[in-house]
Structures are given as C-alpha cells and as structure tokens.
C-alpha cells in the first residue's frame, strides 16, 4: 500500500513538472453533444435508462437528499437493495434521522424564546412523524409504482408506525414550550383516522393539525406556504420546520430554520 501510494506521488510529481497536460474533451460533453439523436430524445432515453439502472445508488441517494435529482417517478430498479439496506437492514436511516432531530433540538434549546408570541414548530406528517416504510417495502422499496387508492387504503387502516427519532424530538420541543403544528398533504377526509393513528403512535398533544382540503390539487409547496402565512398572520412565530420533502420548506415563510429528514423513497412537489 505504502509503495503504491509512493509511486503514485512520483507519478503526480512527474506530471506536474511536465506542465499542464493537453486538454481532452471530457466524456460527458461528448455524450451531450452527440448528434446521433435530437437532444430531447437523448435526454429522455438517458432519464429512462437511469430509472432502471443508476450506476451508483449511494450517489443517487445523495442527489435525491440534496434536491439535485428531482421529479423522479420511482427509485432506480437496481437500487432496491441499497434502499432496503439503508432503511431497514443497516438502520442508517434511523441514525441519519437521529442526527437531524438532535440538531433541531440543540438549535431550539439554544434559543432565548420570548413569551410574547406563540412559538410553533411545523411538523410534516408522512415520513416525518409517521413512517410508511412497511407500505413501500411491499412495493419494492419505491422501485415499483403503486396506485394512490392503495396508499389511501393503507392510511385508512390507521396503523402507520412512528418514526421514533421524530417522536423524541416532538416530546422534547413541547417540554421547552414550543407548540407543535402538524401540516400535512393528507386530505381532510382522513382527519379522523389520522388523529387516531397519531395518538396510538405516541403523539398525544398538538396546537393544530392542518389537512389539505378534500380533493384539492394544489401543490404541496403552495398549500403549505399558504398555511404557514396564515399562522404568521395570526401572530405565531415559526421557530422551526421539519420534513422529509423539499416542498415542505419551499415558497414563503419556511420558518427560522428548517430540518430535512432523509427520504430515498419518493419525491413530491
Ligand atoms: C413571560 O415572561 C415573563 C418574564 O420571565 C414572566 O414574568 C411572565 O409571567 C411570562 N408570561 C407568561 C404568559 O408566561
Ligand atoms: C371532507 O370529506 C370528509 C369525508 O368525506 C367530510 O366529513 C368532510 O366534511 C369534508 N370536508 C369538507 C371541508 O368538505
């Protein structure tokens, strides 16, 4: 190993002393300027191919969490094992969630909160307070499409488990006087079963739970930012906001700080 790295160093030194190497066209650019196909067709083909076989699933996941890879329909088929390992086998998901929740708590605890306002914390619901991993496991960990009606039936069943790290944060924030406001894209028609589910999962107190109006087609980012604006208008201070989708923080008034939980399963707008 030592000999190898030493010779690598010599090689580097040699190439440095030779001055700037001649510039060769990078492969990616060659690919993009390919004239075999019209550009949009090539793009489509590449996208389709990446949804079946992404060369590096960890990189794919990084791209998703950082909002560089957006609008994907399903997890690339070859990343099923990666996602299962991330979420279930290795429990890395739980470790990452813990890191996010810990940072959120340290931030909140460090604030000198004024009591001349209602200090609220926005919680998203699915993949934030509750975890639908059992559902997605059934559909190839996000690699297979599912019918929205099937997902609705799963929610109506009312047995979605908690994400323990968020439950912990939730309780701790209440303890330091911050009021939880639950803001979800679930439709109001699911209110009764959702509240029951939340209580069974350990969430027994909240200031408000805000649902999307039945049948509304408003995008999550628009719906949520509007609801947050209403909260601010009624005199609340949004101290923090936690969710698993970038849409939870988009548009206006995201909160003084936002905390992004991991989610390699889907992307919503
Ligand atoms: C707000 O804080 C002040 C100063 O600590 C305290 O005297 C007052 O009782 C508090 N008011 C409420 C409503 O908690
Ligand atoms: C939404 O649907 C549920 C169930 O069908 C109903 O109870 C509720 O009143 C509806 N809400 C509105 C605002 O129409």
């Amino acid at each position: 190993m030592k000999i190898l790295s030493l010779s690598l160093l010599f090689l580097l030194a040699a190439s440095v002393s030779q001055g700037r190497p001649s510039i060769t066209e990078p492969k990616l650019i060659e690919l993009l300027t390919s004239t075999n196909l019209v550009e949009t067709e090539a793009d489509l083909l590449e996208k389709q191919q990446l949804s079946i076989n992404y060369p590096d699933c960890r990189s794919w996941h990084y791209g998703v969490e950082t909002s560089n890879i957006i609008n994907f329909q399903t997890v690339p088929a070859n990343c099923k094992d990666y996602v299962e390992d991330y979420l279930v086998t290795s429990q890395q998901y739980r470790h990452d969630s813990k890191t996010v929740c810990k940072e959120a708590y340290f931030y909140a605890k460090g604030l000198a909160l004024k009591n001349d306002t209602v200090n609220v914390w926005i919680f998203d619901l699915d993949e934030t307070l509750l975890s639908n991993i059992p559902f997605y496991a059934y559909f190839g960990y996000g690699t297979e499409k599912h019918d929205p009606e099937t997902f609705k039936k799963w929610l109506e069943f009312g047995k979605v488990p908690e994400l323990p790290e968020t439950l912990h944060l939730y309780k701790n924030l209440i303890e330091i006087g911050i009021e939880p406001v639950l803001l979800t894209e679930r439709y109001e028609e699911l209110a009764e079963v959702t509240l029951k589910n939340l209580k069974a999962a350990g969430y027994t107190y909240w200031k408000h739970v805000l649902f999307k109006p039945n049948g509304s087609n408003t995008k999550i980012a628009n719906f949520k930012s509007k609801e947050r604006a209403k909260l601010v208008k009624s005199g609340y201070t949004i101290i923090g906001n936690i969710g698993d989708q970038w849409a939870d923080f988009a548009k206006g008034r995201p909160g003084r700080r936002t905390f992004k939980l991991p989610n390699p399963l889907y992307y919503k707008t």
Side-chain angles (χ1 to χ4, degrees):
M1 193 61 207
K2 244 187 192 142
I3 294 171
L4 191 76
S5 56
L6 209 67
S7 55
L8 204 78
L9 204 71
F10 282 131
L11 207 72
L12 275 175
S15 70
V16 166
S17 67
Q18 273 168 14
R20 214 184 149 105
S22 69
I23 295 166
T24 53
E25 201 177 358
K27 281 218 172 77
L28 181 68
I29 302 214
E30 279 169 26
L31 191 78
L32 290 176
T33 54
S34 159
T35 49
N36 293 341
L37 294 161
V38 269
E39 207 171 331
T40 49
E41 232 178 308
D43 284 353
L44 272 174
L45 210 68
E46 192 180 336
K47 254 195 174 158
Q48 200 178 33
Q49 212 243 328
L50 290 179
S51 75
I52 297 163
N53 182 16
Y54 203 92
D56 182 333
C57 294
R58 269 185 83 159
S59 292
W60 175 82
H61 187 196
Y62 176 78
V64 168
E65 298 301 355
T66 48
S67 195
N68 294 321
I69 295 175
I70 62 170
N71 293 332
F72 62 93
Q73 302 273 309
T74 50
V75 171
N78 68 309
C79 295
K80 181 183 167 188
D81 290 348
Y82 167 84
V83 173
E84 180 176 13
D85 182 67
Y86 176 75
L87 292 176
V88 183
T89 320
S90 74
Q91 297 276 301
Q92 188 61 42
Y93 174 58
R94 298 282 302 276
H95 292 289
D96 291 349
S97 300
K98 188 172 178 179
T99 301
V100 176
C101 290
K102 242 170 134 174
E103 285 304 312
Y105 180 65
F106 289 154
Y107 153 69
K109 198 154 177 10
L111 295 171
L113 293 176
K114 288 185 190 148
N115 65 4
D116 59 353
T117 175
V118 182
N119 295 305
V120 299
W121 193 285
I122 311 273
F123 287 89
D124 168 56
L125 206 154
D126 291 296
E127 274 53 73
T128 298
L129 296 180
L130 303 178
S131 165
N132 295 294
I133 289 174
F135 176 85
Y136 284 93
Y138 193 78
F139 287 92
Y141 289 96
T143 59
E144 295 164 33
K145 282 188 182 168
H146 65 265
D147 174 10
E149 278 303 307
T150 314
F151 184 62
K152 193 179 158 202
K153 282 203 181 104
W154 154 258
L155 296 183
E156 279 169 347
F157 193 54
K159 295 268 190 288
V160 187
E162 76 279 11
L163 180 56
E165 287 67 34
T166 321
L167 177 59
H168 196 68
L169 171 69
Y170 192 91
K171 289 179 172 168
N172 282 331
L173 290 181
I174 292 172
E175 228 175 73
I176 58 174
I178 298 175
E179 298 279 356
V181 172
L182 282 52
L183 181 51
T184 176
E185 68 273 19
R186 283 193 189 189
Y187 288 127
E188 199 183 317
E189 61 189 76
L190 286 170
E192 200 185 324
V193 71
T194 299
L195 299 188
K196 239 191 215 165
N197 193 154
L198 281 166
K199 281 178 192 158
Y203 301 97
T204 53
Y205 169 82
W206 45 75
K207 186 85 178 167
H208 302 288
V209 187
L210 306 169
F211 292 92
K212 212 169 165 183
N214 296 344
S216 157
N217 285 323
T218 318
K219 290 198 164 170
I220 294 174
N222 292 335
F223 160 67
K224 290 195 168 180
S225 63
K226 256 190 199 161
E227 291 302 316
R228 290 194 303 266
K230 283 189 214 163
L231 293 171
V232 171
K233 208 172 169 198
S234 64
Y236 292 179
T237 303
I238 303 174
I239 294 296
N241 181 352
I242 189 166
D244 64 290
Q245 296 290 315
W246 286 100
D248 294 331
F249 320 126
K251 311 271 169 154
R253 306 185 185 283
R256 277 164 64 178
R257 271 195 69 179
T258 59
F259 294 88
K260 168 74 173 69
L261 285 166
N263 185 356
L265 291 166
Y266 55 81
Y267 181 89
K268 287 190 177 179
T269 57

